[in-house]
Amino acid sequence: HVQLVESGGGSVQAEGSLRLSCAASGYFSKRCMAWFRQAPGKEREGVAAIVTGGGNTYYAGSVDGRFTISQDNAKNTVYLQMNSQKPEDTAMYYCAGRTDGNCGVWYLTTTSAFQYWGQGTQVTVTS
């Protein structure tokens, strides 16, 4: 049984930083895992993805180099470090996982490419 549990969300002022965590159980190695976000009234959008065990990373253009996705294989955890945050980063952030290691920027454009989802963690950036 695969379970993804996010943590680390909260409220931060503009230009601040937060680090989100996604703890995976049931599987981890050589999978494509990603962070998506969804703001009120908007579609869910992919932010960053990583191949666990391999380390290749992929980013959506909207994060402009401010976000970094990383992993800790010993803890079966994927992280999203968010720096220089903007009010438009306010959203519910979701961890997502695929059943295989196929990964890339294209996969960030479609939620149906991911079979497993966490419950989400709220990030609010105030100006």
Side-chain angles (χ1 to χ4, degrees):
H1 175 66
V2 175
Q3 188 174 20
L4 304 178
V5 179
E6 304 96 334
S7 61
S11 182
V12 64
Q13 288 189 331
E15 298 303 317
S17 298
L18 277 177
R19 189 178 77 159
L20 306 182
S21 300
C22 172
S25 60
Y27 89 148
F28 191 74
S29 182
K30 297 181 181 180
R31 310 293 183 186
C32 178
M33 296 189 68
W35 287 96
F36 282 73
R37 66 185 181 185
Q38 187 168 19
K42 295 188 177 181
E43 293 186 353
R44 194 170 296 190
E45 64 169 350
V47 173
I50 188 168
V51 179
T52 58
N56 289 348
T57 59
Y58 308 91
Y59 295 93
S62 60
V63 301
D64 295 330
R66 299 179 295 119
F67 292 5
T68 302
I69 190 170
S70 62
Q71 61 183 309
D72 184 332
N73 290 325
K75 297 182 178 180
N76 285 5
T77 299
V78 172
Y79 303 98
L80 184 68
Q81 178 68 43
M82 304 183 292
N83 298 329
S84 302
Q85 289 195 267
K86 305 174 182 179
E88 50 264 44
D89 293 326
T90 295
M92 184 72 79
Y93 283 72
Y94 297 91
C95 179
R98 284 181 51 80
T99 56
D100 58 32
N102 294 326
C103 207
V105 174
W106 180 86
Y107 290 89
L108 294 175
T109 66
T110 175
T111 56
S112 62
F114 292 84
Q115 292 74 43
Y116 304 113
W117 291 87
Q119 293 300 307
T121 185
Q122 177 68 38
V123 172
T124 302
V125 184
T126 58
S127 57

